[in-house]
């Protein structure tokens, strides 16, 4: 066909809530307003989840409102819908003292 297709069909997520994980550990949620073949994403009403200063790999309950943003496709690691997803405890974390 010659034309590159994205593996992800983001059309079904337009105007719906998505969670985006970016390289460097940043995590944002917002309403997907647009995208292109390079996976550049336009999110409206975006909220960033701030990281724990002691452990940069963990996010905290603190958030920061960003509004309308563009996420560069080169930084996007994961895109998932916010509807129908629930956070569960990690079954692989060892209890302290084990």
């Amino acid at each position: 066909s010659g034309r590159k297709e994205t593996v992800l069909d983001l059309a079904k997520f337009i105007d719906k809530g998505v969670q985006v994980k970016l390289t460097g550990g940043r995590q944002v949620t917002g309403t997907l307003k647009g995208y292109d073949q390079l996976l550049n994403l336009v999110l409206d009403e975006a909220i960033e989840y701030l990281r724990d200063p002691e452990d940069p790999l963990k996010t905290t309950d603190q958030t920061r409102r960003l509004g309308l943003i563009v996420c560069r496709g080169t930084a996007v690691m994961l895109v998932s819908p916010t509807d129908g997803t629930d956070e569960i405890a990690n079954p692989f974390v060892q209890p302290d003292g084990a």
Side-chain angles (χ1 to χ4, degrees):
S1 67
R3 193 169 151 262
K4 261 197 160 171
E5 290 287 328
T6 60
V7 177
L8 216 52
D9 181 24
L10 291 173
K12 60 186 169 209
F13 298 124
I14 290 286
D15 290 327
K16 292 192 171 59
V18 292
Q19 180 180 46
V20 181
K21 289 195 178 183
L22 304 166
T23 55
R26 282 182 141 179
Q27 188 171 322
V28 293
T29 61
T31 306
L32 183 66
K33 290 296 181 182
Y35 65 95
D36 64 13
Q37 71 272 17
L38 299 174
L39 216 62
N40 294 314
L41 307 175
V42 178
L43 298 179
D44 197 10
E45 299 167 14
I47 297 171
E48 177 182 9
Y49 290 88
L50 300 177
R51 288 177 286 180
D52 189 340
E54 277 87 58
D55 186 357
L57 299 176
K58 284 186 182 166
T59 56
T60 63
D61 291 336
Q62 289 181 298
T63 59
R64 182 170 76 152
R65 293 189 158 281
L66 301 176
L68 185 68
I69 63 167
V70 175
C71 299
R72 288 211 46 207
T74 54
V76 173
M77 291 190 339
L78 178 125
V79 180
S80 66
T82 53
D83 289 345
T85 56
D86 293 319
E87 192 169 332
I88 62 167
N90 185 343
F92 301 106
V93 171
Q94 295 293 321
D96 288 339

Coordinates of all heavy atoms in Angstrom, one line a residue:
S1 N 0.8 -1.2 0.0 CA 0.0 0.0 0.0 C 0.9 1.3 0.0 O 0.4 2.3 -0.5 CB -0.9 0.0 1.2 OG -0.2 0.1 2.4
G2 N 2.1 1.2 0.6 CA 3.0 2.3 0.5 C 2.8 3.3 1.6 O 3.7 4.0 2.1
R3 N 1.5 3.5 2.1 CA 1.2 4.5 3.1 C 1.3 3.8 4.5 O 0.8 2.7 4.7 CB -0.2 5.0 2.9 CG -0.4 6.3 3.7 CD -1.7 6.9 3.2 NE -2.3 7.6 4.3 CZ -3.3 7.1 5.1 NH1 -3.8 6.0 4.8 NH2 -3.7 7.8 6.1
K4 N 2.0 4.5 5.4 CA 2.1 3.9 6.8 C 0.8 4.2 7.5 O 0.3 5.3 7.6 CB 3.2 4.6 7.5 CG 4.5 3.8 7.5 CD 5.4 4.4 8.6 CE 6.4 3.3 8.9 NZ 7.5 3.7 9.7
E5 N 0.3 3.1 8.1 CA -0.9 3.2 9.0 C -0.4 3.1 10.4 O 0.5 2.3 10.7 CB -1.8 2.0 8.7 CG -2.6 2.1 7.4 CD -3.6 3.1 7.3 OE1 -4.3 3.4 8.4 OE2 -3.8 3.7 6.3
T6 N -1.1 3.8 11.3 CA -0.7 3.7 12.7 C -1.4 2.4 13.2 O -2.4 2.0 12.8 CB -1.2 4.9 13.6 OG1 -2.6 5.0 13.5 CG2 -0.6 6.2 13.1
V7 N -0.7 1.8 14.1 CA -1.2 0.5 14.7 C -2.4 0.9 15.6 O -3.4 0.1 15.6 CB -0.1 -0.1 15.6 CG1 -0.6 -1.3 16.3 CG2 1.1 -0.4 14.8
L8 N -2.4 2.1 16.2 CA -3.5 2.5 17.0 C -4.6 3.2 16.2 O -4.2 4.1 15.5 CB -2.9 3.5 18.0 CG -3.4 3.5 19.4 CD1 -3.4 2.1 20.1 CD2 -2.5 4.5 20.2
D9 N -5.8 2.8 16.3 CA -6.9 3.5 15.6 C -7.5 4.5 16.7 O -8.4 4.1 17.4 CB -7.9 2.5 15.1 CG -9.1 3.3 14.4 OD1 -8.8 4.4 13.9 OD2 -10.2 2.7 14.3
L10 N -6.9 5.7 16.7 CA -7.4 6.7 17.7 C -8.7 7.3 17.3 O -9.2 8.0 18.2 CB -6.3 7.7 17.8 CG -5.0 7.3 18.5 CD1 -3.9 8.3 18.4 CD2 -5.2 6.8 19.9
A11 N -9.2 7.1 16.1 CA -10.5 7.8 15.7 C -11.6 7.5 16.7 O -12.4 8.3 17.0 CB -10.9 7.3 14.3
K12 N -11.6 6.3 17.3 CA -12.7 5.9 18.2 C -12.6 6.6 19.5 O -13.5 6.5 20.3 CB -12.8 4.4 18.4 CG -11.5 3.7 18.9 CD -11.7 2.2 18.9 CE -10.3 1.6 19.2 NZ -10.1 0.3 18.5
F13 N -11.4 7.2 19.8 CA -11.2 7.9 21.1 C -11.4 9.4 21.0 O -11.3 10.1 22.0 CB -9.8 7.6 21.7 CG -9.6 6.2 22.0 CD1 -8.6 5.5 21.4 CD2 -10.5 5.5 22.8 CE1 -8.4 4.2 21.7 CE2 -10.3 4.2 23.1 CZ -9.2 3.5 22.6
I14 N -11.7 9.9 19.8 CA -11.9 11.4 19.6 C -13.1 11.8 20.5 O -14.1 11.2 20.5 CB -12.2 11.7 18.1 CG1 -10.9 11.5 17.3 CG2 -12.7 13.1 17.9 CD1 -9.8 12.6 17.5
D15 N -12.9 13.0 21.2 CA -13.9 13.5 22.1 C -14.2 12.6 23.3 O -15.2 12.8 23.9 CB -15.2 13.9 21.4 CG -15.0 15.1 20.5 OD1 -14.2 16.0 20.8 OD2 -15.6 15.2 19.4
K16 N -13.3 11.7 23.6 CA -13.4 10.9 24.8 C -12.1 11.1 25.6 O -11.1 11.5 25.2 CB -13.5 9.4 24.4 CG -14.8 9.1 23.7 CD -15.1 7.6 23.6 CE -16.4 7.3 23.1 NZ -16.8 7.8 21.8
G17 N -12.3 10.7 26.9 CA -11.2 10.8 27.8 C -10.1 9.8 27.6 O -10.4 8.6 27.4
V18 N -8.8 10.2 27.6 CA -7.7 9.3 27.4 C -6.7 9.7 28.5 O -6.6 10.8 28.9 CB -7.1 9.4 26.0 CG1 -8.0 8.8 24.9 CG2 -6.6 10.8 25.6
Q19 N -5.9 8.6 28.8 CA -4.7 8.8 29.7 C -3.5 8.6 28.8 O -3.4 7.6 28.1 CB -4.8 7.8 30.8 CG -3.6 7.8 31.8 CD -3.8 6.8 32.9 OE1 -4.1 5.7 32.6 NE2 -3.5 7.2 34.1
V20 N -2.5 9.5 28.9 CA -1.3 9.4 28.1 C -0.1 9.4 29.0 O 0.0 10.2 29.9 CB -1.2 10.6 27.1 CG1 0.0 10.5 26.3 CG2 -2.5 10.7 26.3
K21 N 0.7 8.3 28.8 CA 2.0 8.3 29.5 C 3.1 8.7 28.5 O 3.1 8.3 27.4 CB 2.3 6.9 30.0 CG 1.4 6.6 31.2 CD 1.8 5.4 32.0 CE 0.9 5.1 33.1 NZ 1.3 4.0 34.0
L22 N 4.0 9.6 29.0 CA 5.0 10.2 28.1 C 6.4 9.7 28.6 O 6.6 9.4 29.8 CB 4.9 11.7 28.2 CG 3.6 12.3 27.8 CD1 3.5 13.7 28.1 CD2 3.3 12.1 26.3
T23 N 7.4 9.8 27.7 CA 8.7 9.4 28.1 C 9.2 10.4 29.2 O 8.8 11.6 29.1 CB 9.7 9.5 26.9 OG1 9.6 10.8 26.3 CG2 9.4 8.4 25.9
G24 N 10.0 10.0 30.1 CA 10.4 10.8 31.2 C 9.5 10.7 32.4 O 9.7 11.4 33.4
G25 N 8.4 9.9 32.3 CA 7.6 9.7 33.4 C 6.3 10.5 33.6 O 5.5 10.3 34.5
R26 N 6.2 11.5 32.7 CA 5.0 12.4 32.9 C 3.7 11.6 32.5 O 3.8 10.8 31.6 CB 5.1 13.6 32.0 CG 6.0 14.7 32.5 CD 6.0 15.9 31.7 NE 6.0 17.1 32.5 CZ 6.1 18.3 32.0 NH1 6.1 18.5 30.7 NH2 6.1 19.3 32.7
Q27 N 2.6 12.0 33.1 CA 1.3 11.3 32.9 C 0.3 12.4 32.8 O 0.1 13.2 33.8 CB 1.1 10.3 34.0 CG -0.1 9.4 33.8 CD -0.1 8.4 34.9 OE1 0.9 7.8 35.3 NE2 -1.3 8.0 35.4
V28 N -0.5 12.4 31.8 CA -1.6 13.4 31.6 C -2.9 12.7 31.2 O -2.9 11.6 30.6 CB -1.3 14.5 30.6 CG1 -0.1 15.3 31.1 CG2 -1.0 13.9 29.2
T29 N -4.0 13.3 31.6 CA -5.3 12.8 31.1 C -6.0 14.0 30.5 O -5.7 15.1 30.9 CB -6.2 12.2 32.2 OG1 -6.4 13.3 33.2 CG2 -5.6 11.0 32.9
G30 N -6.9 13.7 29.6 CA -7.6 14.8 28.9 C -8.6 14.3 27.8 O -8.6 13.0 27.7
T31 N -9.2 15.2 27.1 CA -10.1 14.8 26.1 C -9.4 14.8 24.8 O -8.8 15.9 24.4 CB -11.3 15.7 26.0 OG1 -11.9 15.8 27.3 CG2 -12.4 15.3 25.0
L32 N -9.3 13.7 24.0 CA -8.6 13.7 22.8 C -9.4 14.5 21.7 O -10.5 14.2 21.4 CB -8.4 12.2 22.3 CG -7.6 12.0 21.0 CD1 -6.1 12.5 21.2 CD2 -7.7 10.6 20.6
K33 N -8.7 15.5 21.2 CA -9.4 16.4 20.2 C -8.8 16.1 18.8 O -9.5 16.4 17.8 CB -9.2 17.8 20.5 CG -10.0 18.3 21.8 CD -11.4 18.2 21.5 CE -12.3 18.6 22.6 NZ -13.7 18.4 22.4
G34 N -7.6 15.6 18.7 CA -7.0 15.3 17.4 C -5.7 14.6 17.5 O -5.1 14.5 18.6
Y35 N -5.3 14.1 16.3 CA -4.0 13.3 16.3 C -3.6 13.3 14.8 O -4.3 13.6 13.9 CB -4.2 11.9 16.8 CG -5.1 11.1 16.0 CD1 -4.6 10.2 15.0 CD2 -6.5 11.1 16.2 CE1 -5.5 9.4 14.3 CE2 -7.3 10.3 15.5 CZ -6.8 9.5 14.5 OH -7.7 8.8 13.7
D36 N -2.3 12.9 14.6 CA -1.9 12.7 13.2 C -1.1 11.4 13.1 O -1.0 10.6 14.1 CB -1.0 13.9 12.7 CG 0.3 14.1 13.5 OD1 0.7 13.2 14.3 OD2 0.9 15.1 13.3
Q37 N -0.5 11.1 11.9 CA 0.1 9.8 11.7 C 1.4 9.6 12.5 O 1.9 8.5 12.7 CB 0.4 9.5 10.2 CG 1.4 10.4 9.6 CD 0.9 11.7 9.1 OE1 -0.2 12.1 9.4 NE2 1.7 12.3 8.2
L38 N 1.9 10.8 13.0 CA 3.2 10.7 13.8 C 2.8 10.5 15.3 O 3.7 10.5 16.2 CB 4.0 12.0 13.7 CG 4.5 12.2 12.2 CD1 5.2 13.6 12.2 CD2 5.4 11.1 11.8
L39 N 1.5 10.4 15.6 CA 1.0 10.2 17.0 C 1.2 11.5 17.8 O 1.2 11.4 19.1 CB 1.7 9.0 17.7 CG 0.8 8.2 18.6 CD1 -0.3 7.6 17.9 CD2 1.6 7.2 19.4
N40 N 1.2 12.6 17.2 CA 1.1 13.9 17.9 C -0.4 14.0 18.3 O -1.3 13.7 17.5 CB 1.4 15.1 17.0 CG 2.9 15.1 16.6 OD1 3.8 14.9 17.4 ND2 3.1 15.3 15.3
L41 N -0.6 14.3 19.6 CA -1.9 14.3 20.2 C -2.3 15.7 20.6 O -1.5 16.4 21.2 CB -2.0 13.3 21.4 CG -1.6 11.9 21.2 CD1 -1.6 11.1 22.5 CD2 -2.4 11.2 20.1
V42 N -3.6 16.0 20.4 CA -4.1 17.3 20.9 C -5.1 16.9 22.0 O -6.1 16.2 21.7 CB -4.8 18.1 19.9 CG1 -5.4 19.4 20.5 CG2 -3.8 18.5 18.7
L43 N -4.8 17.3 23.3 CA -5.7 17.0 24.4 C -6.3 18.3 24.9 O -5.6 19.3 25.1 CB -4.9 16.3 25.5 CG -4.3 15.0 25.2 CD1 -3.6 14.5 26.5 CD2 -5.3 14.0 24.8
D44 N -7.6 18.3 25.2 CA -8.2 19.5 25.8 C -8.5 19.1 27.3 O -8.7 18.0 27.6 CB -9.5 19.8 25.1 CG -10.0 21.2 25.4 OD1 -9.3 22.0 26.0 OD2 -11.2 21.5 25.0
E45 N -8.6 20.2 28.1 CA -8.9 20.0 29.6 C -7.9 19.0 30.2 O -8.2 18.2 31.0 CB -10.3 19.5 29.8 CG -11.4 20.5 29.3 CD -12.7 19.9 29.2 OE1 -13.0 18.8 29.8 OE2 -13.6 20.5 28.6
A46 N -6.6 19.1 29.7 CA -5.6 18.2 30.2 C -5.2 18.5 31.6 O -5.2 19.6 32.1 CB -4.3 18.3 29.3
I47 N -4.9 17.4 32.4 CA -4.5 17.4 33.7 C -3.3 16.6 33.9 O -3.3 15.4 33.4 CB -5.6 16.9 34.7 CG1 -6.8 17.8 34.6 CG2 -5.1 16.8 36.1 CD1 -8.0 17.3 35.4
E48 N -2.2 17.1 34.4 CA -0.9 16.4 34.6 C -0.9 15.9 36.1 O -1.3 16.6 37.0 CB 0.3 17.3 34.4 CG 1.6 16.5 34.7 CD 2.8 17.4 34.5 OE1 2.7 18.6 34.3 OE2 3.9 16.9 34.6
Y49 N -0.5 14.6 36.2 CA -0.4 14.0 37.6 C 1.1 14.2 38.0 O 2.0 13.7 37.3 CB -0.8 12.5 37.6 CG -2.3 12.4 37.4 CD1 -2.8 12.3 36.1 CD2 -3.1 12.3 38.5 CE1 -4.2 12.2 35.9 CE2 -4.5 12.2 38.3 CZ -5.0 12.2 37.1 OH -6.4 12.1 36.9
L50 N 1.3 15.0 39.1 CA 2.6 15.3 39.5 C 3.3 14.2 40.2 O 2.6 13.3 40.8 CB 2.6 16.5 40.4 CG 2.0 17.8 39.8 CD1 1.9 18.9 40.8 CD2 2.8 18.3 38.6
R51 N 4.6 14.1 40.0 CA 5.4 13.0 40.6 C 5.9 13.3 42.0 O 6.0 14.4 42.4 CB 6.6 12.7 39.7 CG 6.1 12.1 38.4 CD 7.3 11.8 37.5 NE 7.7 13.1 36.9 CZ 8.6 13.3 36.0 NH1 9.3 12.2 35.7 NH2 8.9 14.4 35.6
D52 N 6.1 12.2 42.7 CA 6.6 12.3 44.1 C 8.1 12.8 44.0 O 8.9 12.2 43.3 CB 6.6 10.9 44.7 CG 6.9 10.9 46.2 OD1 7.5 11.8 46.7 OD2 6.5 9.9 46.8
P53 N 8.4 13.9 44.7 CA 9.8 14.4 44.7 C 10.8 13.3 45.2 O 12.0 13.3 44.8 CB 9.8 15.6 45.6 CG 8.4 15.9 45.9 CD 7.6 14.7 45.6
E54 N 10.4 12.5 46.2 CA 11.4 11.5 46.7 C 11.5 10.3 45.7 O 12.6 9.7 45.6 CB 10.9 10.9 48.0 CG 11.3 11.8 49.2 CD 10.2 12.9 49.5 OE1 9.1 12.5 49.7 OE2 10.6 14.0 49.5
D55 N 10.5 9.9 45.0 CA 10.5 8.8 44.1 C 9.9 9.2 42.7 O 8.7 9.2 42.6 CB 9.7 7.6 44.6 CG 9.9 6.4 43.8 OD1 10.5 6.4 42.7 OD2 9.3 5.3 44.2
P56 N 10.7 9.7 41.8 CA 10.2 10.2 40.5 C 9.4 9.2 39.7 O 8.7 9.6 38.8 CB 11.4 10.7 39.8 CG 12.6 10.6 40.7 CD 12.2 9.7 41.9
L57 N 9.5 7.9 40.0 CA 8.8 6.9 39.3 C 7.3 6.8 39.7 O 6.5 6.2 39.1 CB 9.4 5.5 39.4 CG 10.9 5.5 38.9 CD1 11.5 4.1 39.2 CD2 10.9 5.8 37.4
K58 N 7.0 7.4 40.9 CA 5.6 7.3 41.4 C 4.9 8.7 41.2 O 5.5 9.7 41.4 CB 5.6 7.1 42.9 CG 6.0 5.7 43.3 CD 5.8 5.5 44.8 CE 6.2 4.0 45.2 NZ 6.3 3.9 46.6
T59 N 3.6 8.6 40.8 CA 2.8 9.8 40.7 C 2.1 10.0 42.0 O 1.8 9.0 42.8 CB 1.8 9.7 39.6 OG1 1.0 8.6 39.8 CG2 2.5 9.6 38.2
T60 N 1.8 11.2 42.3 CA 1.1 11.5 43.6 C -0.4 11.9 43.2 O -0.8 11.9 42.1 CB 1.7 12.8 44.3 OG1 1.6 13.9 43.4 CG2 3.2 12.5 44.6
D61 N -1.2 12.2 44.2 CA -2.5 12.6 44.0 C -2.6 14.1 43.6 O -3.7 14.6 43.3 CB -3.4 12.4 45.3 CG -3.6 10.9 45.6 OD1 -3.5 10.1 44.6 OD2 -3.8 10.6 46.7
Q62 N -1.5 14.8 43.6 CA -1.4 16.2 43.2 C -1.6 16.3 41.7 O -0.9 15.5 41.0 CB -0.1 16.9 43.7 CG 0.0 17.1 45.1 CD 1.3 17.8 45.5 OE1 2.4 17.2 45.2 NE2 1.2 19.0 46.0
T63 N -2.3 17.3 41.3 CA -2.5 17.5 39.8 C -2.3 18.9 39.5 O -2.2 19.8 40.3 CB -4.0 17.1 39.4 OG1 -4.9 17.9 40.1 CG2 -4.2 15.6 39.6
R64 N -2.1 19.1 38.2 CA -1.9 20.5 37.6 C -2.7 20.6 36.4 O -2.6 19.8 35.5 CB -0.4 20.6 37.3 CG 0.0 22.0 36.8 CD 1.5 22.1 36.8 NE 2.0 21.4 35.7 CZ 3.2 21.7 35.0 NH1 3.9 22.7 35.5 NH2 3.6 21.0 34.0
R65 N -3.5 21.6 36.3 CA -4.4 21.8 35.1 C -3.5 22.4 34.0 O -2.9 23.4 34.2 CB -5.6 22.7 35.4 CG -6.5 22.1 36.4 CD -7.8 23.0 36.5 NE -8.9 22.2 37.0 CZ -9.6 21.4 36.2 NH1 -9.4 21.3 34.9 NH2 -10.7 20.7 36.7
L66 N -3.6 21.8 32.8 CA -2.8 22.3 31.7 C -3.7 22.9 30.6 O -3.2 23.7 29.8 CB -2.0 21.2 31.1 CG -1.0 20.5 32.0 CD1 -0.3 19.3 31.3 CD2 0.0 21.5 32.6
G67 N -4.9 22.6 30.5 CA -5.8 23.1 29.5 C -5.6 22.4 28.2 O -5.5 21.2 28.1
L68 N -5.5 23.1 27.1 CA -5.3 22.6 25.7 C -3.8 22.4 25.5 O -3.0 23.3 25.5 CB -5.9 23.5 24.7 CG -5.9 23.0 23.3 CD1 -6.9 21.9 23.1 CD2 -6.3 24.1 22.3
I69 N -3.4 21.1 25.2 CA -2.0 20.8 25.0 C -1.8 20.0 23.7 O -2.7 19.3 23.3 CB -1.4 20.1 26.2 CG1 -2.0 18.8 26.4 CG2 -1.4 21.0 27.4 CD1 -1.2 17.9 27.4
V70 N -0.6 20.0 23.3 CA -0.1 19.1 22.2 C 1.0 18.2 22.8 O 1.9 18.6 23.3 CB 0.4 19.8 21.0 CG1 1.0 18.9 19.9 CG2 -0.7 20.7 20.4
C71 N 0.8 16.8 22.7 CA 1.8 15.9 23.1 C 2.5 15.4 21.9 O 1.9 14.9 20.9 CB 1.2 14.7 23.8 SG 0.3 15.0 25.3
R72 N 3.8 15.7 21.8 CA 4.6 15.2 20.6 C 4.6 13.7 20.5 O 4.8 13.0 21.5 CB 6.1 15.7 20.7 CG 6.1 17.2 20.5 CD 7.3 17.7 19.9 NE 7.8 17.0 18.7 CZ 9.1 16.9 18.4 NH1 10.0 17.6 19.1 NH2 9.4 16.3 17.3
G73 N 4.4 13.2 19.3 CA 4.4 11.8 19.1 C 5.6 11.0 19.5 O 5.5 9.9 20.0
T74 N 6.8 11.7 19.4 CA 8.0 11.0 19.8 C 8.0 10.7 21.3 O 8.8 9.9 21.8 CB 9.2 11.8 19.4 OG1 9.1 13.2 20.0 CG2 9.4 11.9 17.9
A75 N 7.3 11.5 22.1 CA 7.3 11.3 23.6 C 6.2 10.4 24.1 O 6.2 10.0 25.2 CB 7.2 12.7 24.3
V76 N 5.2 10.1 23.2 CA 4.0 9.3 23.7 C 4.5 7.8 23.8 O 4.9 7.2 22.8 CB 2.9 9.4 22.7 CG1 1.7 8.5 23.0 CG2 2.4 10.8 22.7
M77 N 4.3 7.3 25.0 CA 4.6 5.8 25.2 C 3.3 5.0 25.2 O 3.3 3.9 24.8 CB 5.3 5.6 26.5 CG 6.7 6.2 26.5 SD 7.8 5.7 27.8 CE 6.7 5.3 29.1
L78 N 2.2 5.6 25.8 CA 1.0 4.8 26.0 C -0.2 5.7 25.9 O -0.2 6.8 26.5 CB 1.1 4.1 27.4 CG -0.2 3.3 27.9 CD1 0.3 1.9 28.2 CD2 -0.9 4.0 29.0
V79 N -1.3 5.2 25.3 CA -2.5 5.9 25.2 C -3.6 4.9 25.6 O -3.7 3.9 25.0 CB -2.8 6.5 23.8 CG1 -4.2 7.2 23.8 CG2 -1.7 7.4 23.3
S80 N -4.4 5.3 26.6 CA -5.4 4.3 27.0 C -6.7 5.2 27.4 O -6.6 6.3 27.8 CB -5.0 3.5 28.3 OG -4.8 4.3 29.4
P81 N -7.9 4.6 27.1 CA -9.1 5.3 27.5 C -9.3 5.4 29.0 O -8.9 4.5 29.7 CB -10.2 4.4 26.9 CG -9.6 3.0 26.8 CD -8.1 3.2 26.6
T82 N -9.9 6.5 29.4 CA -10.1 6.6 30.9 C -11.5 5.9 31.2 O -11.6 5.5 32.4 CB -10.2 8.1 31.3 OG1 -11.1 8.8 30.5 CG2 -8.8 8.7 31.2
D83 N -12.4 5.9 30.3 CA -13.7 5.2 30.6 C -13.4 3.7 30.6 O -12.8 3.1 29.7 CB -14.7 5.5 29.5 CG -15.2 7.0 29.6 OD1 -14.9 7.6 30.6 OD2 -15.8 7.4 28.6
G84 N -14.0 3.0 31.6 CA -13.9 1.6 31.7 C -12.6 1.0 32.2 O -12.4 -0.2 32.1
T85 N -11.8 1.9 32.7 CA -10.5 1.4 33.3 C -10.5 1.8 34.8 O -10.9 2.9 35.2 CB -9.3 2.0 32.7 OG1 -9.4 3.4 32.7 CG2 -9.2 1.6 31.2
D86 N -10.2 0.8 35.6 CA -10.0 1.1 37.1 C -8.6 0.7 37.5 O -8.0 -0.3 37.0 CB -11.0 0.2 37.8 CG -12.5 0.6 37.6 OD1 -12.7 1.8 37.5 OD2 -13.3 -0.3 37.4
E87 N -8.1 1.4 38.5 CA -6.8 1.2 39.0 C -6.9 0.1 40.1 O -7.7 0.1 40.9 CB -6.1 2.4 39.6 CG -4.7 2.3 39.9 CD -4.0 3.6 40.2 OE1 -4.5 4.6 39.7 OE2 -3.0 3.5 41.0
I88 N -6.0 -0.9 39.9 CA -6.0 -2.0 40.9 C -4.7 -2.1 41.6 O -3.7 -1.5 41.1 CB -6.3 -3.4 40.3 CG1 -5.3 -3.8 39.2 CG2 -7.7 -3.4 39.7 CD1 -5.3 -5.2 38.8
A89 N -4.6 -2.7 42.7 CA -3.3 -2.9 43.4 C -2.4 -3.8 42.6 O -2.9 -4.7 41.9 CB -3.5 -3.5 44.8
N90 N -1.1 -3.5 42.5 CA -0.1 -4.3 41.8 C 0.1 -5.6 42.4 O 0.6 -5.7 43.6 CB 1.2 -3.5 41.7 CG 2.2 -4.2 40.8 OD1 2.1 -5.4 40.5 ND2 3.2 -3.4 40.4
P91 N -0.3 -6.7 41.8 CA -0.2 -8.0 42.4 C 1.3 -8.5 42.5 O 1.6 -9.5 43.1 CB -1.0 -9.0 41.5 CG -1.0 -8.3 40.1 CD -0.9 -6.8 40.4
F92 N 2.2 -7.8 41.8 CA 3.6 -8.3 41.8 C 4.5 -7.6 42.8 O 5.6 -7.9 43.0 CB 4.2 -8.1 40.4 CG 3.4 -8.8 39.3 CD1 2.6 -8.1 38.5 CD2 3.5 -10.2 39.3 CE1 1.9 -8.8 37.5 CE2 2.7 -10.9 38.3 CZ 1.9 -10.2 37.4
V93 N 3.9 -6.6 43.5 CA 4.7 -5.9 44.6 C 4.9 -6.8 45.8 O 3.9 -7.4 46.3 CB 4.0 -4.6 45.0 CG1 4.7 -3.9 46.2 CG2 4.0 -3.6 43.8
Q94 N 6.1 -6.9 46.2 CA 6.4 -7.8 47.4 C 6.0 -7.0 48.7 O 6.4 -5.8 48.8 CB 7.9 -8.1 47.4 CG 8.3 -9.0 46.3 CD 7.7 -10.4 46.3 OE1 7.5 -11.0 47.4 NE2 7.3 -10.9 45.2
P95 N 5.4 -7.6 49.6 CA 5.1 -6.9 50.9 C 6.4 -6.6 51.6 O 7.4 -7.3 51.4 CB 4.2 -7.9 51.7 CG 4.2 -9.2 50.9 CD 4.8 -9.0 49.6
D96 N 6.4 -5.5 52.3 CA 7.6 -5.1 53.1 C 8.0 -6.2 54.0 O 7.2 -6.8 54.7 CB 7.4 -3.8 53.8 CG 7.3 -2.6 52.9 OD1 7.8 -2.7 51.7 OD2 6.7 -1.6 53.3
G97 N 9.4 -6.5 54.0 CA 9.9 -7.5 54.9 C 9.9 -8.9 54.4 O 10.2 -9.9 55.0
A98 N 9.5 -9.0 53.1 CA 9.4 -10.4 52.5 C 10.8 -10.7 51.9 O 11.6 -10.0 51.5 CB 8.4 -10.4 51.3

